[in-house]
Amino acid sequence: MFAWMARRGRRAEGPGSEADQGSHWLAVADLMAALMMIFLFLALLHMVQVERESAAHTEVRNEAAALRAAIYSVLEEEFREDLPRWNAELDRDSLTLRFREPEVLFERSSSSIRPRFEAILADFMPRYAEQLRPFAEVIREVRIEGHTSSEWAGSDDPLEAYFGNMDLSQRRTRAVLEYAYQLEPLQEADWFRSRVAAVGLSSSRRVLDAQGEEDRRASRRVEFSVLTDFETRLLGEASPAAPEPLPLEARGR
């Protein structure tokens, strides 16, 4: 009799247990569906964000290309007739104006500017600053670079030659900057003074000939390069404020 009652009890519990299990799996299915919807929503948000960032970067790159082209255009137009007689060239990609005549630039193994190069700088520098002034907001730095060959008189040690030329190239770019600051038009160009930098690079960027050998004469040069702040914008950072210009006597060598 007890066995019969137990069988009836199990039969009575059966339908209820199956119903409970069905309800449980429905709840799990609803939860999974909700999680899936949340995942899809987050994925959609991520895709929209990536698309917006890509569009913003594309816009910045397009703006950078347009402004760099504009800077090149005004410099090329301003100095088109001067470049051949100065034995100089203007590189479109790097916005670098390069003086390539070492016999004109400095005295041999010295930072003394030759009279001919002084005359060129007196003509070039005020015009250069004036052409760049409309682009001051996007110019991060105007860099005067001094370059030498790997040759160093009295030494065959490459490291000694490198550091000897480093000192020489730094003194040369400082001499160019000091001379430029004596020019009256540049004394009023505060924006230019706050961005210009003199950098001596020794023989780190030598010019090579077609056979891959160093062209010592071509390696001895002075370059003026324009660096913009678009790289900073692409990283999503605020452009650094231009520093206040230091008095000339306070600047390091």
Side-chain angles (χ1 to χ4, degrees):
M1 180 175 182
F2 288 110
W4 175 80
M5 292 178 64
R7 287 195 297 272
R8 285 185 57 87
R10 284 196 293 269
R11 283 196 293 269
E13 291 174 358
S17 177
E18 292 176 0
D20 290 343
Q21 291 180 5
S23 300
H24 169 75
W25 287 112
L26 284 175
V28 171
D30 290 342
L31 177 61
M32 293 298 293
L35 290 175
M36 182 62 71
M37 291 298 295
I38 293 173
F39 173 78
L40 291 175
F41 179 71
L42 293 175
L44 181 60
L45 284 180
H46 177 70
M47 291 174 60
V48 170
Q49 182 179 1
V50 169
E51 185 175 352
R52 287 178 177 175
E53 290 178 354
S54 176
H57 286 182
T58 299
E59 182 179 355
V60 170
R61 285 192 292 268
N62 290 341
E63 182 184 359
L67 281 170
R68 290 178 67 85
I71 292 173
Y72 172 82
S73 179
V74 298
L75 292 178
E76 195 277 333
E77 183 176 356
E78 177 69 22
F79 298 113
R80 181 185 303 149
E81 297 180 1
D82 301 301
L83 294 176
R85 62 187 180 90
W86 291 344
N87 192 15
E89 63 180 356
L90 177 62
D91 184 74
R92 177 188 294 270
D93 294 332
S94 62
L95 295 180
T96 295
L97 199 150
R98 183 176 299 111
F99 291 94
R100 304 176 299 181
E101 192 66 54
E103 289 78 11
V104 170
L105 303 177
F106 301 96
E107 299 292 342
R108 180 74 172 176
S109 301
S110 168
S111 61
S112 297
I113 303 175
R114 292 183 182 272
R116 171 60 179 151
F117 193 37
E118 284 189 349
I120 291 174
L121 290 173
D123 182 20
F124 164 70
M125 289 295 294
R127 294 162 59 195
Y128 184 67
E130 181 61 23
Q131 293 303 315
L132 294 180
R133 183 176 56 80
F135 306 96
E137 291 186 1
V138 299
I139 291 177
R140 174 166 53 88
E141 186 174 274
V142 178
R143 182 177 295 178
I144 304 173
E145 294 182 353
H147 300 268
T148 70
S149 68
S150 61
E151 185 180 18
W152 184 252
S155 177
D156 295 328
D157 182 358
L159 193 60
E160 182 180 355
Y162 175 80
F163 282 108
N165 280 314
M166 177 66 73
D167 176 66
L168 177 62
S169 62
Q170 289 174 345
R171 287 189 286 113
R172 284 177 169 179
T173 54
R174 178 186 171 90
V176 171
L177 190 57
E178 287 179 340
Y179 181 79
Y181 280 164
Q182 297 173 15
L183 302 174
E184 185 175 352
L186 288 182
Q187 293 176 4
E188 303 297 325
D190 290 341
W191 79 267
F192 186 81
R193 290 167 62 91
S194 68
R195 289 167 174 78
V196 69
V199 182
L201 294 172
S202 186
S203 57
S204 60
R205 299 181 185 176
R206 297 169 298 160
V207 176
L208 305 181
D209 60 22
Q211 287 71 43
E213 300 294 329
E214 178 184 5
D215 185 333
R216 290 180 174 177
R217 186 174 183 279
S219 295
R220 303 184 187 109
R221 64 198 189 275
V222 173
E223 299 181 348
F224 291 78
S225 300
V226 178
L227 307 179
T228 65
D229 69 350
F230 289 105
E231 295 82 2
T232 302
R233 295 189 187 187
L234 282 173
L235 294 174
E237 301 173 358
S239 300
E244 292 295 326
L246 292 173
L248 190 58
E249 60 271 14
R251 294 172 180 261
R253 290 191 62 176

